[in-house]
Amino acid sequence: MVSLGLVSLVSGTQPLLPGDGHFRIDPGFSSTINSDTSDPAVLSTEGQRSNPVDFTAEELKELQRRFGVHGPQPELAQLLTLGLDQLTPLRARTVNRLEQLQPIILRESRLQGVNPMLVAAVLFDELQHAKPGEDLPLAVESGLFKTHGPAQLSVGELVHQGLLRPDASEAELSAARQQLLDPERNVVLLVGKFARLSRALALPTERPLDASSSPRDAKALATLAYLHNGKLDYPARILSYMQDPSLHALIYSIRKPILSPVI
């Protein structure tokens, strides 16, 4: 059930069991996320389910109670986000940075059973909307920013993955922040985060989740995206980026050296 991993993993508290009278997951999600999609009844339920990025009021209430829900960005912030996405030079720069990370995205996603397009979409979004100067060493050590690197991860993620003690010293925290500033290490940790959440949610890890062919998988991917960012408008943006043809070409293209013709 989504509630078990989603609530306990982020908050660190004991999960609520499905029948304890507290949390009820969207029936469409709970009946299909871990079900056999070859079952006609399951397919029928999926066909009736709402948009995968829509969470029920009951789900949101419980998520807010247990670890906080930020809600959608203010309208002005959403307009700024849309405006940034239309800036061709910024997009080209973002795609170029993402291209440099392509080998590590594919390698780690393959190793940990994560959809590489989910990883690419999150990285694209975070790189596209990064704040100027937030990854400068001085700014990082000042404590002004709580998240770092291409995927905007916090040192808490290293704690979740067992790579940093909860009572880490200041020197250990400083070293952890430096890890997050390393682009390749940051991507490894992002893929590890999605793998960690997938295990907690009992999602399939023997194959990548596929939003285009399975409503169940689309809901799962929306949930993973939501858990990464914590804002309700984020999953829709990530699922949209996952369908971007240019990002698909970037991630799945094969580079071949250009050979000079022999004269």
Side-chain angles (χ1 to χ4, degrees):
M1 295 289 293
V2 170
S3 58
L4 299 183
L6 187 147
V7 173
S8 63
L9 188 63
V10 180
S11 66
T13 57
Q14 292 297 316
L16 298 175
L17 295 177
D20 66 358
H22 293 283
F23 191 30
R24 297 291 183 273
I25 291 292
D26 169 19
F29 192 13
S30 62
S31 65
T32 61
I33 192 168
N34 292 310
S35 302
D36 180 4
T37 54
S38 64
D39 184 347
V42 169
L43 294 176
S44 175
T45 302
E46 288 184 347
Q48 298 171 15
R49 198 172 63 237
S50 60
N51 192 316
V53 301
D54 291 337
F55 294 87
T56 67
E58 193 170 17
E59 288 173 332
L60 294 178
K61 182 179 179 181
E62 180 62 15
L63 297 177
Q64 183 175 27
R65 185 180 74 83
R66 296 302 296 265
F67 63 90
V69 171
H70 300 294
Q73 288 183 322
E75 289 187 9
L76 178 59
Q78 292 188 46
L79 288 174
L80 288 174
T81 296
L82 291 173
L84 287 173
D85 286 349
Q86 304 307 312
L87 295 177
T88 303
L90 176 61
R91 178 183 173 89
R93 180 175 179 272
T94 303
V95 169
N96 182 62
R97 294 183 64 187
L98 195 58
E99 186 176 16
Q100 297 173 31
L101 298 172
Q102 187 239 31
I104 191 72
I105 293 172
L106 288 176
R107 187 191 74 196
E108 291 300 314
S109 297
R110 188 180 305 113
L111 288 174
Q112 302 202 53
V114 173
N115 188 325
M117 286 306 302
L118 171 64
V119 179
V122 166
L123 287 169
F124 178 84
D125 184 86
E126 300 293 0
L127 289 169
Q128 183 87 336
H129 307 121
K131 303 178 184 67
E134 65 183 0
D135 279 341
L136 293 175
L138 183 61
V140 170
E141 292 303 327
S142 72
L144 182 62
F145 301 104
K146 301 301 182 184
T147 57
H148 313 289
Q152 288 297 291
L153 299 174
S154 71
V155 294
E157 183 54 35
L158 281 85
V159 175
H160 282 308
Q161 295 189 32
L163 302 171
L164 182 69
R165 296 184 295 113
D167 58 346
S169 66
E170 186 54 44
E172 290 171 325
L173 289 173
S174 179
R177 287 190 286 267
Q178 293 305 313
Q179 283 192 57
L180 294 175
L181 287 180
D182 178 76
E184 291 195 6
R185 181 63 175 153
N186 196 275
V187 172
V188 171
L189 291 168
L190 175 64
V191 178
K193 177 179 184 178
F194 286 135
R196 171 176 68 83
L197 292 170
S198 294
R199 289 191 297 269
L201 300 174
L203 300 176
T205 55
E206 72 281 358
R207 61 170 179 82
L209 297 169
D210 184 358
S212 61
S213 64
S214 169
R216 176 190 64 176
D217 284 9
K219 181 70 174 183
L221 288 164
T223 304
L224 291 174
Y226 175 78
L227 287 177
H228 172 71
N229 177 273
K231 291 189 177 180
L232 289 175
D233 55 331
Y234 193 76
R237 198 157 71 241
I238 294 304
L239 263 61
S240 174
Y241 289 150
M242 289 182 67
Q243 303 302 318
D244 188 306
S246 62
L247 292 186
H248 266 273
L250 184 152
I251 293 301
Y252 292 113
S253 63
I254 299 175
R255 297 182 181 87
K256 293 183 178 180
I258 299 176
L259 302 178
S260 299
V262 177
I263 299 177

